[in-house]
Amino acid sequence: RKEVEQDPGPFNVPEGATVAFNCTYSNSASQSFFWYRQDCRKEPKLLMSVYSSGNEDGRFTAQLNRASQYISLLIRDSKLSDSATYLCVTLAGSARQLTFGSGTQLTVLP
Amino acid sequence: NAGVTQTPKFRVLKTGQSMTLLCAQDMNHEYMYWYRQDPGMGLRLIHYSVGEGTTAKGEVPDGYNVSRLKKQNFLLGLESAAPSQTSVYFCASSYSITGGTQYFGPGTRLLVL
């Protein structure tokens, strides 16, 4: 079983749609949680951190449920530029090691 | 600032050949990491370093060696390449405190025939 599991998609949605991605993690010692974004054939980049109380960054909302070991990302009013692969990421260990999910592919259609 | 750079960008090797991938960062980061990314597998940590002169094994270290002789550079070596090492290799760096914000290089695409 993978330590961080995501639905691989692909998710194909029209512009303006709301889309939600889910992720589960198995390491209960995970200390921090993140969503990274990776464009096709590019490097991953941090999208946002995920806090227990939930947090929002513009059209993006992230939620964390530590009891269920579940992380979510909601994108509202999707833009064409949101098309990418979204990586669910956990952090653990003294060396601040990141564990990546396989990613969920999103395509926003005109 | 160039951020994190990687050389080469693309390389084709024959089975048994050796090569070194170079990662350089100009952000004075303490921590550096090497990952490989394969379809359906996500990024997996190969080796990492928490400071100059230190290295440690990650999730998939077999077949690779690393060195961190200078703070700004992290080298990944393949002594005897195998087709299973065909992958995209990413280097990343971070401050020791912020941890979760890792800055990635553009990647090296390696094909082993």
Side-chain angles (χ1 to χ4, degrees):
Chain A
R1 183 188 171 194
K2 292 180 185 175
E3 196 168 315
V4 179
E5 300 249 24
Q6 295 182 249
D7 181 343
F11 284 62
N12 298 318
V13 303
E15 266 188 294
T18 295
V19 61
F21 304 139
N22 303 317
C23 163
T24 57
Y25 62 95
S26 60
N27 184 359
S28 58
S30 297
Q31 301 158 306
S32 303
F33 308 88
F34 309 90
W35 285 99
Y36 272 68
R37 169 192 168 130
Q38 186 173 23
D39 293 314
C40 187
R41 300 178 72 82
K42 299 285 190 181
E43 70 273 22
K45 293 183 179 178
L46 178 67
L47 177 67
M48 61 193 300
S49 301
V50 186
Y51 303 116
S52 297
S53 54
N55 51 296
E56 199 172 292
D57 183 0
R59 297 181 293 108
F60 298 83
T61 301
Q63 298 272 356
L64 167 66
N65 184 323
R66 283 188 184 266
S68 304
Q69 298 186 187
Y70 171 93
I71 305 163
S72 67
L73 177 69
L74 184 77
I75 305 175
R76 292 183 301 279
D77 188 23
S78 300
K79 312 290 185 192
L80 295 175
S81 57
D82 294 334
S83 297
T85 296
Y86 290 83
L87 306 172
C88 179
V89 184
T90 64
L91 182 149
S94 58
R96 318 297 281 169
Q97 296 175 46
L98 296 183
T99 300
F100 288 79
S102 301
T104 299
Q105 186 181 344
L106 171 66
T107 300
V108 181
L109 304 168
Chain B
N1 283 353
V4 180
T5 57
Q6 292 183 232
T7 51
K9 288 186 170 52
F10 178 71
R11 184 78 182 268
V12 179
L13 287 180
K14 294 181 180 178
T15 296
Q17 287 185 317
S18 63
M19 78 165 294
T20 300
L21 283 68
L22 172 63
C23 176
Q25 52 95 4
D26 61 3
M27 296 175 282
N28 202 34
H29 286 167
E30 288 292 332
Y31 290 11
M32 295 187 75
Y33 310 83
W34 274 107
Y35 296 90
R36 61 177 289 173
Q37 186 174 34
D38 303 294
M41 299 292 292
L43 283 96
R44 292 181 292 169
L45 183 64
I46 304 171
H47 285 280
Y48 63 95
S49 168
V50 300
E52 182 179 318
T54 75
T55 62
K57 294 180 180 179
E59 179 187 355
V60 289
D62 293 341
Y64 305 96
N65 56 73
V66 287
S67 64
R68 182 104 180 264
L69 299 179
K70 294 183 179 180
K71 186 177 183 178
Q72 63 268 34
N73 295 339
F74 195 27
L75 278 64
L76 178 71
L78 286 74
E79 289 187 349
S80 179
S84 60
Q85 294 178 303
T86 292
S87 189
V88 180
Y89 292 86
F90 287 102
C91 175
S93 69
S94 70
Y95 289 112
S96 59
I97 296 175
T98 56
T101 306
Q102 290 188 9
Y103 298 84
F104 283 79
T108 294
R109 283 173 169 70
L110 176 65
L111 175 62
V112 183
L113 300 175

